[in-house]
Amino acid sequence: MTPLTQIRQKLFLKDELVSQIADWKVKGEKIVFTNGCFDIIHPGHIDYLAKAAGLGDRLIIGVNTDESVQKLKGSNRPIQNQDSRTFILSALEFASAVVLFDEDTPAELLAVLKPDILVKGADYTIDQIAGAETVIKSGGSVVLLPYLKGFSTSGIERKIKGT
C-alpha cells in the first residue's frame, strides 16, 4: 500500500467511522477523540495530538468544516480549506481517523461515536466541553491536556500580517 493510500484510508465519513469504531472496540482497543479547526498545523497541535494519541489505542480527530470555522473564527478563516486540513492531519502517523463535522461543536458526532476518552485543552473546564456529559454517561472519560505555550494559529496569522 502506498503512503498516499494509507493517508486517504484515514479519512472517514461519520457513518463509516461508526462502523470502524465498532470493529476497533471488538478488538478491545481504546478510542480517543479530540477536535478542532487545525487551520495551520504548528508544533502546539502536534504536541497536543501526540499526547492525546498516547492515551489510547486509536486517535480520532474531528475537524470543523470550512463553514463551521467561519462561524467560530470569522470570515477570514479558515486559511486552509477542509480538504487540506484533513489531509495533513491524516498524514500524522499517530492519527487513526479524521472526520469532518459541520456543527459548531462535536456534540452530535460524539453522541454517535461514543469514544472511551474525550480530550480537550486545559483552557477548558469539563462543564464547558461540548459532548463531555454524553461521553461520561456512556462510560467514557474526559482528559484535559495543557497546550504548548507560544503557539497558536491566530499568532501565526498576526505574524504573517505583520500586526
Side-chain angles (χ1 to χ4, degrees):
M1 183 183 315
T2 70
L4 280 175
T5 301
Q6 290 175 330
I7 291 168
R8 289 186 185 111
Q9 286 184 338
K10 294 181 184 181
L11 298 169
F12 285 85
L13 298 174
K14 179 175 61 174
D15 294 338
E16 297 169 336
L17 187 52
V18 169
S19 176
Q20 180 62 66
I21 289 171
D23 290 344
W24 289 333
K25 285 192 173 192
V26 164
K27 296 175 186 174
E29 295 180 317
K30 190 180 287 188
I31 310 301
V32 179
F33 178 93
T34 193
N35 66 281
C37 298
F38 302 105
D39 199 358
I40 297 176
I41 301 295
H42 53 69
H45 288 134
I46 301 302
D47 180 78
Y48 169 81
L49 292 169
K51 287 174 181 170
L55 297 172
D57 301 303
R58 299 288 182 165
L59 175 63
I60 299 168
I61 305 171
V63 180
N64 295 77
T65 61
D66 292 346
E67 185 177 328
S68 176
V69 173
Q70 285 177 353
K71 285 185 213 170
L72 295 169
K73 304 283 185 176
S75 60
N76 63 328
R77 299 277 294 276
I79 295 165
Q80 296 194 89
N81 68 32
Q82 64 195 35
D83 293 335
S84 297
R85 293 180 286 123
T86 56
F87 184 77
I88 291 166
L89 290 166
S90 295
L92 297 173
E93 183 178 333
F94 50 77
S96 297
V98 177
V99 61
L100 287 165
F101 65 95
D102 200 37
E103 300 76 23
D104 291 347
T105 74
E108 290 178 34
L109 185 60
L110 288 164
V112 295
L113 298 183
K114 297 182 176 86
D116 299 301
I117 301 172
L118 170 59
V119 179
K120 287 299 289 180
D123 55 332
Y124 287 93
T125 59
I126 291 177
D127 63 307
Q128 296 173 316
I129 299 171
E133 187 176 329
T134 301
V135 171
I136 292 167
K137 281 184 180 177
S138 67
S141 62
V142 178
V143 174
L144 302 177
L145 292 177
Y147 287 125
L148 194 61
K149 291 184 182 183
F151 295 97
S152 75
T153 299
S154 299
I156 293 170
E157 184 180 23
R158 285 191 298 273
K159 188 172 184 177
I160 290 169
K161 290 179 176 179
T163 57

